[in-house]
Amino acid sequence: MIAETVCSAVAVAGLGIAAVTAYRKRFLAAARMAAYALVPLGLVMTGVVEWLADTAFSPTAWAGFAVLGCAWALFATTRAVERRRGGGRGTRKERKAAARSARPDAVAPAASAPSLGPASPRPASRPAATDDFSDIEAILKKHGI
């Protein structure tokens, strides 16, 4: 008797929290909370808590199975909506970071490069690797190495 009361109270509290969440315009989260809240009520109504006490012929038990079916349908619907949105269970920080990265930059990346005119190309006869090594040799000689 105590277990049924506790499960019913948990279900009512969960539905209340879901209602507050829906009031805050977070309908997907509210539907998921309602689904979680209906599970204990469905388990009590099916008689799982009382372990098969006249479950087969009890209209309350079949109503409990219907409630569990509604909870499962809510779970499936919210998952389908999440997948269709392309979202996930990202946190608020992750969603804000994704929104920030999606914004176009205020300044084009090439705009920060100085425009001093056309750069003079290196002579084709001298390879770049030799130029790099000569710079390194000069630095080493400067430090006495």
Side-chain angles (χ1 to χ4, degrees):
M1 178 96 170
I2 289 273
E4 290 91 359
T5 305
V6 169
C7 287
S8 299
V10 167
V12 169
L15 290 173
I17 292 170
V20 170
T21 305
Y23 179 75
R24 293 181 180 172
K25 307 284 188 221
R26 297 190 61 210
F27 298 111
L28 192 62
R32 177 148 311 136
M33 286 181 197
Y36 279 119
L38 290 174
V39 169
L41 183 63
L43 291 175
V44 166
M45 291 175 74
T46 56
V48 171
V49 178
E50 220 176 301
W51 192 250
L52 295 176
D54 298 324
T55 302
F57 299 107
S58 171
T60 306
W62 290 108
F65 283 119
V67 169
L68 286 174
C70 288
W72 177 84
L74 281 171
F75 280 126
T77 304
T78 56
R79 292 291 297 176
V81 169
E82 271 184 358
R83 286 188 181 144
R84 185 166 283 203
R85 277 188 184 172
R89 300 178 179 169
T91 62
R92 176 178 272 177
K93 282 184 181 180
E94 290 171 350
R95 288 192 302 265
K96 282 187 177 183
R100 257 188 255 117
S101 67
R103 289 187 208 149
D105 292 335
V107 178
S112 63
S115 56
L116 299 174
S120 60
R122 290 188 172 181
S125 62
R126 188 173 170 191
T130 308
D131 188 31
D132 290 340
F133 287 125
S134 64
D135 289 343
I136 293 171
E137 286 177 17
I139 293 171
L140 291 173
K141 284 181 184 176
K142 180 180 175 183
H143 292 287
I145 298 175

